[in-house]
Amino acid sequence: MRHIAGHAADLTRSGLHTNLIHYGFALVAPVVYAMVGLVRARGGWLANLAGLLAVIGLSTLPGLVLLDFFSVAVALSSDLDAAVAMEQQMDQLPFFIAIVAPAFISSVLALPVAIAALWRAGLVPGYLVAIAILAALAPNVSPGWVIGFGINALWMLAVAVILARVPLARWYGGSVSTAAAEEREGAQV
């Protein structure tokens, strides 16, 4: 009830929150796809799992995002009790969990699993897997959504730095000669 009441009381905040979730994951999924391409042998099954999670999350999370807007619309057009009753009814619908669970699990685990695949491939240090898990959970467990998304935003910046440090030869999968890759890496420093 607090969730719906909070969203209905501040439409700007709830809209920003819901859009950050939606577009945040929409921008993370392609990064996960790129990470999958970096892992060739060791860690390949983790990379494929990360790619699958990204696809599932990208295809199911928009439905959950719309539920936030729908709950707020019901609260505004009727009352808070009707919005709460509507959400309780949805929770009891058969197969509703078949959308909710994969969307939530995929959106939380896709990037940490991709980082684990990079670690197994020897491209990043192991402690980054733990940081990835903590950052993925931050928006869901932090006391305020701004703090959680702030932590996640800092982590995304760290992911960008991590990916920028991956050798170019890994990005191009052998289509670039080693000498050309080393030359490009020297120019980037």
Side-chain angles (χ1 to χ4, degrees):
M1 185 182 235
R2 272 186 47 227
H3 167 74
I4 299 171
H7 280 326
D10 189 345
L11 297 179
T12 301
R13 181 178 166 197
S14 69
L16 182 60
H17 174 265
T18 303
N19 276 282
L20 281 172
I21 290 171
H22 175 67
Y23 289 110
F25 191 77
L27 294 172
V28 166
V31 173
V32 171
Y33 302 150
M35 291 174 161
V36 170
L38 289 173
V39 180
R40 301 280 186 256
R42 189 170 163 210
W45 68 273
L46 275 173
N48 290 332
L49 176 61
L52 178 63
L53 289 170
V55 168
I56 291 170
L58 196 55
S59 62
T60 57
L61 199 57
L64 294 185
V65 168
L66 288 176
L67 289 178
D68 281 347
F69 285 117
F70 187 73
S71 298
V72 169
V74 170
L76 294 175
S77 66
S78 181
D79 63 16
L80 184 58
D81 291 334
V84 170
M86 183 271 310
E87 278 201 357
Q88 288 172 344
Q89 281 292 349
M90 285 201 323
D91 288 344
Q92 295 174 8
L93 289 173
F95 303 108
F96 182 65
I97 193 73
I99 297 293
V100 173
F104 181 74
I105 292 168
S106 297
S107 66
V108 170
L109 291 181
L111 189 57
V113 172
I115 295 290
L118 290 180
W119 165 70
R120 289 285 297 150
L123 295 171
V124 299
Y127 65 85
L128 291 178
V129 178
I131 293 172
I133 293 168
L134 294 174
L137 292 174
N140 301 302
V141 298
S142 63
W145 68 275
V146 172
I147 293 169
F149 283 112
I151 291 169
N152 218 352
L154 287 173
W155 169 243
M156 291 301 118
L157 182 61
V159 169
V161 171
I162 290 165
L163 292 177
R165 292 177 178 226
V166 171
L168 284 177
R170 290 300 291 254
W171 282 106
Y172 293 104
S175 63
V176 175
S177 72
T178 305
E182 290 173 355
E183 181 181 321
R184 283 195 184 115
E185 285 178 16
Q188 289 178 353
V189 177

